[in-house]
């Protein structure tokens, strides 16, 4: 069989989030895409996800011309590349961009396909200029602005007075060390390359990571004809319901951020106990870390789940096992000393910013590669970051950060315009 092939699901089909599969799923909508033309721009926004598009729209609203660069082959490529059954963990009330509420027909929790179309419509409505297939490799100060070093069609540099980096905190897959250089003969894919259960029918699949995506993927597999579904857990997560009493559980989220962290942690711990009972017999004891504490510290530690997922755990259709120590040729050796024979591995092990090659030399990054300035303000003169905070409803919250960044850029621009005598 040979060693595992990254990005390949059983049968050899590529699971990469970009390329032909994305084109087949969604016909391209009207999005304003341009040639680079002149190499000098007033503002360049890097990334065409919600943070980048919101920033560009706020700039346009203030009369500032802006170019958006997207690494993928389509606007919002990171979202179009997610797995087929993805739904928002936060409700539409907290997830919409400024001035663009979700249609009611989306339901409380928009799907991947709905959100991709929403982003495309948002860009078209605001007449945003987007250039796809352009990856920014490095930013360097240059005179009164910035030089962007690119990798596209030989047009390898741009100049801009202002740059807003908005590629997102969940930009590149985070892969554990044990998953590289392994003798394992089965397939290994990151959740970013997983699409649906079809290639895994009648196989034994280990999902690594009990976050929202990991448990949702595990449920899809359990309902999709997979012979055995295991979820490897090192640290038990906080499990919060997507819906409670017929309404989205996240409706009071703004209140949570105005209360003491310890109070919110205690309250949500009680909610979990009342909602799920004791899941310790099924391998999911209470998390050692509070919900809000973990979110603020690491952007992790909580899974938003449906009742059906927890029921699948109780019924054994999803089996929780210990964390992975290493892989051998045909299975996984776990941290508790046991071993599981498996055919495939899905890594729901999170993401990283991937900002180090671009701005790591500028001393603007802190722990886990996150920017030191995350509120839309200047990290360096003319350089800002939008969308690098951990909180529920981030796709909506970035609108506030985008507004601040655009307002300050517009003010700087006005100050730089000579006043006629």
């Amino acid at each position: 069989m040979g060693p595992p092939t990254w990005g390949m699901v059983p049968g050899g089909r590529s699971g990469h989030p970009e390329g032909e599969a994305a084109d087949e799923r969604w016909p391209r909508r009207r999005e304003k895409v341009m040639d680079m033309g002149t190499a000098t721009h007033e503002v360049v926004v890097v990334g065409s996800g919600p943070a980048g598009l919101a920033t560009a729209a706020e700039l346009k609203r203030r009369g500032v011309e802006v170019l958006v660069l997207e690494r993928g082959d389509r606007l919002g490529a990171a979202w179009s590349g997610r797995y087929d059954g993805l739904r928002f963990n936060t409700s539409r009330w907290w997830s919409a961009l400024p001035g663009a509420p979700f249609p009611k027909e989306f339901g409380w929790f928009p799907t991947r396909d709905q959100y991709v179309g929403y982003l495309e419509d948002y860009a078209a409505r605001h007449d945003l200029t987007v250039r796809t297939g352009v990856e920014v490799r490095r930013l360097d100060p240059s005179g009164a602005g910035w030089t962007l070093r690119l990798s596209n069609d030989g047009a390898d540099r741009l100049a801009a007075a202002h740059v807003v980096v908005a590629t997102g905190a969940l930009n590149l897959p985070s892969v554990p060390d044990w998953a590289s250089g392994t003798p394992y003969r089965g397939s290994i894919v990151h959740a970013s390359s997983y699409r649906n259960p079809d290639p895994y029918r009648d196989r034994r699949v280990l999902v690594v990571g009990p976050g929202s995506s990991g448990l949702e993927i595990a449920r899809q597999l359990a309902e999709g004809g997979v012979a055995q579904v295991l979820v490897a857990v090192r640290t038990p997560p906080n499990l919060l319901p997507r819906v409670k009493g017929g309404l989205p559980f996240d409706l009071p989220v703004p209140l949570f951020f105005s209360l003491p962290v310890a109070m919110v942690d205690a309250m949500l711990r009680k909610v979990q106990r009342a909602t799920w009972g004791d899941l310790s017999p099924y391998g999911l004891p209470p998390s050692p870390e509070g919900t809000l504490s973990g979110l603020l510290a690491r952007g992790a530690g909580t899974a938003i789940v449906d009742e059906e997922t927890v029921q699948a755990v109780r019924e054994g259709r999803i089996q929780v096992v210990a964390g992975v120590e290493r892989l051998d040729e045909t299975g996984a050796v776990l941290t508790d000393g046991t071993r599981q024979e498996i055919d495939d591995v899905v890594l729901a092990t999170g993401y990283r910013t991937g900002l180090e090659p671009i701005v790591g030399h500028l001393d603007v990054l802190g722990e886990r590669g996150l920017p030191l300035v995350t509120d839309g303000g200047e990290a360096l003169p003319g350089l800002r970051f939008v969308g690098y905070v951990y909180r529920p409803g981030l796709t909506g919250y970035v609108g506030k950060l985008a507004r601040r960044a655009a307002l300050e850029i517009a003010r700087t621009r006005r100050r730089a315009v000579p006043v006629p005598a």
Side-chain angles (χ1 to χ4, degrees):
M1 293 176 61
T5 304
W6 280 98
M8 304 296 288
V9 298
R13 179 180 61 79
S14 173
H16 197 277
E18 300 165 4
E20 294 181 0
D23 291 339
E24 292 169 358
R25 286 197 297 268
W26 297 286
R28 290 189 181 276
R29 301 189 180 209
R30 292 178 294 107
E31 58 192 52
K32 187 177 179 184
V33 180
M34 67 170 287
D35 283 333
M36 285 300 184
T38 177
T40 302
H41 299 270
E42 188 168 8
V43 183
V44 170
V45 172
V46 185
S48 70
L53 295 181
T55 302
E58 292 292 327
L59 286 164
K60 289 268 298 195
R61 192 163 70 87
R62 291 165 173 81
V64 180
E65 284 303 312
V66 55
L67 170 65
V68 180
L69 302 181
E70 166 58 48
R71 178 183 63 190
D73 66 350
R74 61 178 298 132
L75 184 151
W79 282 91
S80 64
R82 301 301 190 206
Y83 55 91
D84 295 348
L86 181 143
R87 287 190 301 155
F88 270 45
N89 294 322
T90 52
S91 63
R92 67 171 190 262
W93 280 8
W94 308 130
S95 304
L97 295 175
F102 286 116
K104 288 185 178 179
E105 55 265 30
F106 279 17
W108 279 116
F109 303 97
T111 66
R112 176 201 65 184
D113 295 11
Q114 289 171 335
Y115 194 58
V116 170
Y118 170 88
L119 291 178
E120 292 173 334
D121 289 343
Y122 183 87
R125 185 164 60 253
H126 290 279
D127 194 30
L128 301 181
T129 301
V130 180
R131 175 65 190 255
T132 59
V134 180
E135 182 175 5
V136 176
R137 292 293 183 89
R138 181 182 170 100
L139 293 176
D140 287 299
S142 177
W146 291 87
T147 295
L148 297 85
R149 300 190 182 187
L150 314 174
S151 57
N152 78 300
D153 303 334
D156 60 353
R157 294 192 182 191
L158 282 180
H162 297 270
V163 176
V164 180
V165 181
T167 52
L170 310 181
N171 185 31
L172 297 178
S174 179
V175 177
D177 292 340
W178 53 258
S180 300
T182 170
Y184 182 61
R185 294 178 179 178
S187 75
I188 304 175
V189 298
H190 189 270
S192 59
S193 295
Y194 167 86
R195 292 293 167 268
N196 56 60
D198 292 349
Y200 301 96
R201 291 183 184 277
D202 301 319
R203 297 172 70 86
R204 299 163 297 184
V205 182
L206 174 67
V207 179
V208 182
S212 299
S213 294
L215 290 176
E216 188 166 57
I217 289 171
R219 177 189 165 191
Q220 288 184 8
L221 293 169
E223 295 175 350
V226 175
Q228 183 182 32
V229 181
L230 306 174
V231 177
V233 177
R234 281 185 178 268
T235 303
N238 289 285
L239 296 178
L240 295 181
R242 195 188 308 266
V243 175
K244 185 76 170 173
L247 291 173
F249 183 73
D250 72 339
L251 293 183
V253 157
L255 175 62
F256 292 165
F257 281 88
S258 67
L259 296 174
V261 172
M263 179 185 297
V264 176
D265 286 345
M267 178 176 63
L268 294 180
R269 194 171 292 114
K270 291 179 180 178
V271 168
Q272 293 179 74
R273 181 76 182 196
T275 303
W276 315 121
D278 183 12
L279 296 177
S280 298
Y282 307 99
L284 291 173
S287 174
E289 185 177 38
T291 298
L292 190 54
S293 295
L295 178 65
L296 295 176
R298 301 180 292 107
T302 295
I304 307 299
V305 297
D306 299 303
E307 170 61 35
E308 293 83 355
T309 302
V310 176
Q311 189 60 32
V313 172
R314 290 195 182 103
E315 294 173 356
R317 292 183 289 122
I318 297 174
Q319 301 173 48
V320 177
V321 298
V324 177
E325 183 70 33
R326 60 183 173 86
L327 299 177
D328 57 29
E329 290 188 354
T330 61
V333 178
L334 307 180
T335 55
D336 62 359
T338 61
R339 182 186 178 280
Q340 295 286 343
E341 192 83 4
I342 52 175
D343 299 310
D344 306 288
V345 178
V346 178
L347 300 173
T349 47
Y351 296 81
R352 53 191 176 87
T353 67
L355 290 175
E356 291 85 355
I358 304 172
V359 297
H361 58 292
L362 299 174
D363 293 328
V364 294
L365 301 180
E367 294 183 27
R368 303 185 306 280
L370 289 167
L372 294 172
V373 179
T374 59
D375 61 358
E378 281 191 330
L380 289 174
L383 176 64
R384 300 169 190 273
F385 298 88
V386 173
Y388 296 90
V389 294
Y390 291 130
R391 58 169 293 146
L394 176 59
T395 54
Y397 183 73
V398 292
K400 296 181 179 179
L401 307 178
R403 194 173 295 119
R404 173 182 177 178
L407 181 62
E408 292 188 0
I409 290 172
R411 285 174 176 168
T412 301
R413 175 177 181 254
R414 284 195 291 270
R415 286 198 299 269
V417 175
V419 179

